[in-house]
PDB file of all heavy atoms in Angstrom:
ATOM      1  N   CYS H 606      70.362 213.400  82.905  1.00 94.00           N
ATOM      2  CA  CYS H 606      70.648 212.346  81.869  1.00 94.00           C
ATOM      3  C   CYS H 606      70.400 212.924  80.477  1.00 94.00           C
ATOM      4  O   CYS H 606      69.396 213.676  80.287  1.00 94.00           O
ATOM      5  CB  CYS H 606      69.718 211.181  82.041  1.00 94.00           C
ATOM      6  SG  CYS H 606      69.998 210.271  83.550  1.00 94.00           S
ATOM      7  N   CYS H 607      71.228 212.523  79.524  1.00 89.00           N
ATOM      8  CA  CYS H 607      70.885 212.745  78.118  1.00 89.00           C
ATOM      9  C   CYS H 607      69.698 211.810  77.812  1.00 89.00           C
ATOM     10  O   CYS H 607      69.399 210.911  78.583  1.00 89.00           O
ATOM     11  CB  CYS H 607      72.075 212.485  77.214  1.00 89.00           C
ATOM     12  SG  CYS H 607      72.562 210.728  77.245  1.00 89.00           S
ATOM     13  N   ALA H 608      69.027 212.026  76.723  1.00 93.00           N
ATOM     14  CA  ALA H 608      67.891 211.179  76.310  1.00 93.00           C
ATOM     15  C   ALA H 608      68.261 210.372  75.103  1.00 93.00           C
ATOM     16  O   ALA H 608      68.131 210.865  73.971  1.00 93.00           O
ATOM     17  CB  ALA H 608      66.689 212.019  76.047  1.00 93.00           C
ATOM     18  N   PRO H 609      68.841 209.208  75.333  1.00 97.00           N
ATOM     19  CA  PRO H 609      69.349 208.400  74.179  1.00 97.00           C
ATOM     20  C   PRO H 609      68.268 208.065  73.195  1.00 97.00           C
ATOM     21  O   PRO H 609      67.170 207.718  73.514  1.00 97.00           O
ATOM     22  CB  PRO H 609      69.887 207.121  74.845  1.00 97.00           C
ATOM     23  CG  PRO H 609      70.159 207.500  76.232  1.00 97.00           C
ATOM     24  CD  PRO H 609      69.091 208.516  76.599  1.00 97.00           C
ATOM     25  N   LYS H 610      68.690 208.141  71.927  1.00 97.00           N
ATOM     26  CA  LYS H 610      67.840 207.773  70.805  1.00 97.00           C
ATOM     27  C   LYS H 610      68.117 206.348  70.355  1.00 97.00           C
ATOM     28  O   LYS H 610      67.521 205.829  69.344  1.00 97.00           O
ATOM     29  CB  LYS H 610      67.967 208.720  69.638  1.00 97.00           C
ATOM     30  CG  LYS H 610      67.466 210.137  70.027  1.00 97.00           C
ATOM     31  CD  LYS H 610      67.491 211.145  68.915  1.00 97.00           C
ATOM     32  CE  LYS H 610      66.698 212.392  69.324  1.00 97.00           C
ATOM     33  NZ  LYS H 610      66.983 213.540  68.555  1.00 97.00           N
ATOM     34  N   GLY H 611      68.943 205.685  71.061  1.00 98.00           N
ATOM     35  CA  GLY H 611      69.366 204.345  70.709  1.00 98.00           C
ATOM     36  C   GLY H 611      70.658 204.014  71.483  1.00 98.00           C
ATOM     37  O   GLY H 611      71.097 204.783  72.337  1.00 98.00           O
ATOM     38  N   GLY H 612      71.208 202.817  71.166  1.00 98.00           N
ATOM     39  CA  GLY H 612      72.518 202.536  71.736  1.00 98.00           C
ATOM     40  C   GLY H 612      72.486 201.689  72.986  1.00 98.00           C
ATOM     41  O   GLY H 612      71.530 200.996  73.235  1.00 98.00           O
ATOM     42  N   ILE H 613      73.556 201.776  73.713  1.00 98.00           N
ATOM     43  CA  ILE H 613      73.783 200.839  74.877  1.00 98.00           C
ATOM     44  C   ILE H 613      74.256 201.655  76.093  1.00 98.00           C
ATOM     45  O   ILE H 613      74.773 201.005  77.053  1.00 98.00           O
ATOM     46  CB  ILE H 613      74.701 199.736  74.520  1.00 98.00           C
ATOM     47  CG1 ILE H 613      76.092 200.232  74.107  1.00 98.00           C
ATOM     48  CG2 ILE H 613      74.118 198.813  73.417  1.00 98.00           C
ATOM     49  CD1 ILE H 613      77.190 199.152  74.039  1.00 98.00           C
ATOM     50  N   PHE H 614      74.264 202.992  76.049  1.00 98.00           N
ATOM     51  CA  PHE H 614      74.875 203.676  77.187  1.00 98.00           C
ATOM     52  C   PHE H 614      74.050 204.931  77.498  1.00 98.00           C
ATOM     53  O   PHE H 614      73.377 205.491  76.705  1.00 98.00           O
ATOM     54  CB  PHE H 614      76.321 204.054  76.897  1.00 98.00           C
ATOM     55  CG  PHE H 614      76.515 204.476  75.470  1.00 98.00           C
ATOM     56  CD1 PHE H 614      76.036 205.713  74.991  1.00 98.00           C
ATOM     57  CD2 PHE H 614      77.098 203.616  74.544  1.00 98.00           C
ATOM     58  CE1 PHE H 614      76.205 206.107  73.685  1.00 98.00           C
ATOM     59  CE2 PHE H 614      77.228 203.984  73.155  1.00 98.00           C
ATOM     60  CZ  PHE H 614      76.812 205.214  72.726  1.00 98.00           C
ATOM     61  N   LEU H 615      74.256 205.344  78.794  1.00 98.00           N
ATOM     62  CA  LEU H 615      73.550 206.575  79.280  1.00 98.00           C
ATOM     63  C   LEU H 615      74.684 207.522  79.812  1.00 98.00           C
ATOM     64  O   LEU H 615      75.524 207.061  80.586  1.00 98.00           O
ATOM     65  CB  LEU H 615      72.605 206.195  80.408  1.00 98.00           C
ATOM     66  CG  LEU H 615      71.773 207.320  80.987  1.00 98.00           C
ATOM     67  CD1 LEU H 615      70.838 207.894  79.953  1.00 98.00           C
ATOM     68  CD2 LEU H 615      70.934 206.702  82.184  1.00 98.00           C
ATOM     69  N   TRP H 616      74.656 208.712  79.376  1.00 98.00           N
ATOM     70  CA  TRP H 616      75.611 209.738  79.797  1.00 98.00           C
ATOM     71  C   TRP H 616      74.948 210.607  80.871  1.00 98.00           C
ATOM     72  O   TRP H 616      73.850 211.156  80.635  1.00 98.00           O
ATOM     73  CB  TRP H 616      76.014 210.569  78.594  1.00 98.00           C
ATOM     74  CG  TRP H 616      77.068 211.620  78.760  1.00 98.00           C
ATOM     75  CD1 TRP H 616      76.840 212.929  78.606  1.00 98.00           C
ATOM     76  CD2 TRP H 616      78.446 211.509  79.020  1.00 98.00           C
ATOM     77  NE1 TRP H 616      78.024 213.647  78.819  1.00 98.00           N
ATOM     78  CE2 TRP H 616      78.990 212.780  79.059  1.00 98.00           C
ATOM     79  CE3 TRP H 616      79.262 210.375  79.264  1.00 98.00           C
ATOM     80  CZ2 TRP H 616      80.372 213.018  79.250  1.00 98.00           C
ATOM     81  CZ3 TRP H 616      80.637 210.612  79.512  1.00 98.00           C
ATOM     82  CH2 TRP H 616      81.172 211.926  79.508  1.00 98.00           C
ATOM     83  N   ILE H 617      75.525 210.730  82.005  1.00 98.00           N
ATOM     84  CA  ILE H 617      74.897 211.319  83.145  1.00 98.00           C
ATOM     85  C   ILE H 617      75.761 212.445  83.645  1.00 98.00           C
ATOM     86  O   ILE H 617      76.961 212.269  83.776  1.00 98.00           O
ATOM     87  CB  ILE H 617      74.652 210.309  84.267  1.00 98.00           C
ATOM     88  CG1 ILE H 617      73.825 209.128  83.801  1.00 98.00           C
ATOM     89  CG2 ILE H 617      74.062 210.948  85.499  1.00 98.00           C
ATOM     90  CD1 ILE H 617      73.845 207.925  84.692  1.00 98.00           C
ATOM     91  N   ARG H 618      75.136 213.613  83.924  1.00 97.00           N
ATOM     92  CA  ARG H 618      75.914 214.735  84.440  1.00 97.00           C
ATOM     93  C   ARG H 618      75.491 214.976  85.941  1.00 97.00           C
ATOM     94  O   ARG H 618      74.278 215.164  86.194  1.00 97.00           O
ATOM     95  CB  ARG H 618      75.738 215.996  83.678  1.00 97.00           C
ATOM     96  CG  ARG H 618      76.554 217.183  84.044  1.00 97.00           C
ATOM     97  CD  ARG H 618      76.359 218.394  83.109  1.00 97.00           C
ATOM     98  NE  ARG H 618      76.847 218.085  81.769  1.00 97.00           N
ATOM     99  CZ  ARG H 618      78.149 218.337  81.398  1.00 97.00           C
ATOM    100  NH1 ARG H 618      79.025 218.819  82.280  1.00 97.00           N
ATOM    101  NH2 ARG H 618      78.557 218.023  80.184  1.00 97.00           N
ATOM    102  N   LEU H 619      76.425 214.910  86.841  1.00 97.00           N
ATOM    103  CA  LEU H 619      76.181 215.221  88.263  1.00 97.00           C
ATOM    104  C   LEU H 619      76.519 216.673  88.550  1.00 97.00           C
ATOM    105  O   LEU H 619      77.049 217.402  87.666  1.00 97.00           O
ATOM    106  CB  LEU H 619      77.026 214.287  89.147  1.00 97.00           C
ATOM    107  CG  LEU H 619      76.681 212.803  89.000  1.00 97.00           C
ATOM    108  CD1 LEU H 619      77.589 211.928  89.805  1.00 97.00           C
ATOM    109  CD2 LEU H 619      75.207 212.557  89.359  1.00 97.00           C
ATOM    110  N   PRO H 620      76.200 217.200  89.706  1.00 96.00           N
ATOM    111  CA  PRO H 620      76.509 218.579  89.991  1.00 96.00           C
ATOM    112  C   PRO H 620      78.012 218.889  89.746  1.00 96.00           C
ATOM    113  O   PRO H 620      78.849 218.009  89.949  1.00 96.00           O
ATOM    114  CB  PRO H 620      76.132 218.760  91.487  1.00 96.00           C
ATOM    115  CG  PRO H 620      75.053 217.732  91.642  1.00 96.00           C
ATOM    116  CD  PRO H 620      75.410 216.588  90.783  1.00 96.00           C
ATOM    117  N   ALA H 621      78.301 220.158  89.412  1.00 94.00           N
ATOM    118  CA  ALA H 621      79.629 220.491  88.999  1.00 94.00           C
ATOM    119  C   ALA H 621      80.726 220.245  90.058  1.00 94.00           C
ATOM    120  O   ALA H 621      81.917 220.035  89.722  1.00 94.00           O
ATOM    121  CB  ALA H 621      79.665 221.976  88.563  1.00 94.00           C
ATOM    122  N   ASN H 622      80.342 220.234  91.306  1.00 93.00           N
ATOM    123  CA  ASN H 622      81.329 220.025  92.367  1.00 93.00           C
ATOM    124  C   ASN H 622      81.656 218.538  92.618  1.00 93.00           C
ATOM    125  O   ASN H 622      82.473 218.216  93.485  1.00 93.00           O
ATOM    126  CB  ASN H 622      80.897 220.713  93.619  1.00 93.00           C
ATOM    127  CG  ASN H 622      79.543 220.114  94.193  1.00 93.00           C
ATOM    128  OD1 ASN H 622      78.796 219.558  93.383  1.00 93.00           O
ATOM    129  ND2 ASN H 622      79.327 220.240  95.469  1.00 93.00           N
ATOM    130  N   VAL H 623      81.020 217.677  91.920  1.00 95.00           N
ATOM    131  CA  VAL H 623      81.329 216.182  92.094  1.00 95.00           C
ATOM    132  C   VAL H 623      82.406 215.859  91.061  1.00 95.00           C
ATOM    133  O   VAL H 623      82.244 216.058  89.871  1.00 95.00           O
ATOM    134  CB  VAL H 623      80.065 215.331  91.868  1.00 95.00           C
ATOM    135  CG1 VAL H 623      80.450 213.859  91.809  1.00 95.00           C
ATOM    136  CG2 VAL H 623      78.978 215.680  92.834  1.00 95.00           C
ATOM    137  N   ASP H 624      83.474 215.270  91.565  1.00 96.00           N
ATOM    138  CA  ASP H 624      84.515 214.741  90.666  1.00 96.00           C
ATOM    139  C   ASP H 624      84.371 213.212  90.675  1.00 96.00           C
ATOM    140  O   ASP H 624      84.751 212.586  91.648  1.00 96.00           O
ATOM    141  CB  ASP H 624      85.916 215.158  91.098  1.00 96.00           C
ATOM    142  CG  ASP H 624      87.021 214.684  90.096  1.00 96.00           C
ATOM    143  OD1 ASP H 624      86.717 213.828  89.304  1.00 96.00           O
ATOM    144  OD2 ASP H 624      88.101 215.201  90.174  1.00 96.00           O
ATOM    145  N   VAL H 625      83.820 212.666  89.569  1.00 97.00           N
ATOM    146  CA  VAL H 625      83.516 211.242  89.538  1.00 97.00           C
ATOM    147  C   VAL H 625      84.729 210.403  89.614  1.00 97.00           C
ATOM    148  O   VAL H 625      84.616 209.213  89.966  1.00 97.00           O
ATOM    149  CB  VAL H 625      82.636 210.894  88.286  1.00 97.00           C
ATOM    150  CG1 VAL H 625      81.323 211.543  88.323  1.00 97.00           C
ATOM    151  CG2 VAL H 625      83.446 211.166  87.018  1.00 97.00           C
ATOM    152  N   ARG H 626      85.866 210.945  89.257  1.00 96.00           N
ATOM    153  CA  ARG H 626      87.105 210.171  89.370  1.00 96.00           C
ATOM    154  C   ARG H 626      87.354 209.680  90.801  1.00 96.00           C
ATOM    155  O   ARG H 626      87.968 208.651  90.986  1.00 96.00           O
ATOM    156  CB  ARG H 626      88.306 210.922  88.836  1.00 96.00           C
ATOM    157  CG  ARG H 626      88.232 211.105  87.329  1.00 96.00           C
ATOM    158  CD  ARG H 626      89.287 212.085  86.794  1.00 96.00           C
ATOM    159  NE  ARG H 626      88.993 213.445  87.212  1.00 96.00           N
ATOM    160  CZ  ARG H 626      89.520 214.531  86.720  1.00 96.00           C
ATOM    161  NH1 ARG H 626      90.399 214.422  85.767  1.00 96.00           N
ATOM    162  NH2 ARG H 626      89.174 215.733  87.129  1.00 96.00           N
ATOM    163  N   LYS H 627      86.873 210.459  91.763  1.00 96.00           N
ATOM    164  CA  LYS H 627      87.039 210.037  93.162  1.00 96.00           C
ATOM    165  C   LYS H 627      86.115 208.908  93.539  1.00 96.00           C
ATOM    166  O   LYS H 627      86.240 208.322  94.584  1.00 96.00           O
ATOM    167  CB  LYS H 627      86.835 211.232  94.062  1.00 96.00           C
ATOM    168  CG  LYS H 627      87.941 212.327  93.835  1.00 96.00           C
ATOM    169  CD  LYS H 627      87.720 213.476  94.770  1.00 96.00           C
ATOM    170  CE  LYS H 627      88.803 214.540  94.488  1.00 96.00           C
ATOM    171  NZ  LYS H 627      88.450 215.895  94.910  1.00 96.00           N
ATOM    172  N   LEU H 628      85.111 208.647  92.720  1.00 97.00           N
ATOM    173  CA  LEU H 628      84.213 207.538  93.005  1.00 97.00           C
ATOM    174  C   LEU H 628      84.662 206.223  92.464  1.00 97.00           C
ATOM    175  O   LEU H 628      84.172 205.169  92.860  1.00 97.00           O
ATOM    176  CB  LEU H 628      82.821 207.861  92.356  1.00 97.00           C
ATOM    177  CG  LEU H 628      82.128 209.194  92.733  1.00 97.00           C
ATOM    178  CD1 LEU H 628      80.757 209.238  92.099  1.00 97.00           C
ATOM    179  CD2 LEU H 628      82.056 209.345  94.259  1.00 97.00           C
ATOM    180  N   VAL H 629      85.643 206.274  91.555  1.00 98.00           N
ATOM    181  CA  VAL H 629      86.012 205.009  90.852  1.00 98.00           C
ATOM    182  C   VAL H 629      86.432 203.934  91.850  1.00 98.00           C
ATOM    183  O   VAL H 629      85.952 202.788  91.798  1.00 98.00           O
ATOM    184  CB  VAL H 629      87.106 205.336  89.810  1.00 98.00           C
ATOM    185  CG1 VAL H 629      87.668 204.007  89.234  1.00 98.00           C
ATOM    186  CG2 VAL H 629      86.561 206.193  88.669  1.00 98.00           C
ATOM    187  N   LYS H 630      87.356 204.275  92.765  1.00 98.00           N
ATOM    188  CA  LYS H 630      87.879 203.239  93.668  1.00 98.00           C
ATOM    189  C   LYS H 630      86.833 202.769  94.664  1.00 98.00           C
ATOM    190  O   LYS H 630      86.634 201.501  94.763  1.00 98.00           O
ATOM    191  CB  LYS H 630      89.113 203.806  94.400  1.00 98.00           C
ATOM    192  CG  LYS H 630      89.903 202.799  95.086  1.00 98.00           C
ATOM    193  CD  LYS H 630      91.386 203.308  95.312  1.00 98.00           C
ATOM    194  CE  LYS H 630      92.134 202.292  96.219  1.00 98.00           C
ATOM    195  NZ  LYS H 630      91.785 202.380  97.687  1.00 98.00           N
TER     196      LYS H 630
END
Side-chain angles (χ1 to χ4, degrees):
Chain H
C606 294
C607 64
K610 293 184 169 162
I613 61 169
F614 38 75
L615 183 64
W616 181 247
I617 302 167
R618 186 176 292 274
L619 296 176
N622 61 336
V623 174
D624 185 342
V625 296
R626 288 171 290 196
K627 294 181 182 159
L628 305 184
V629 171
K630 193 159 172 282

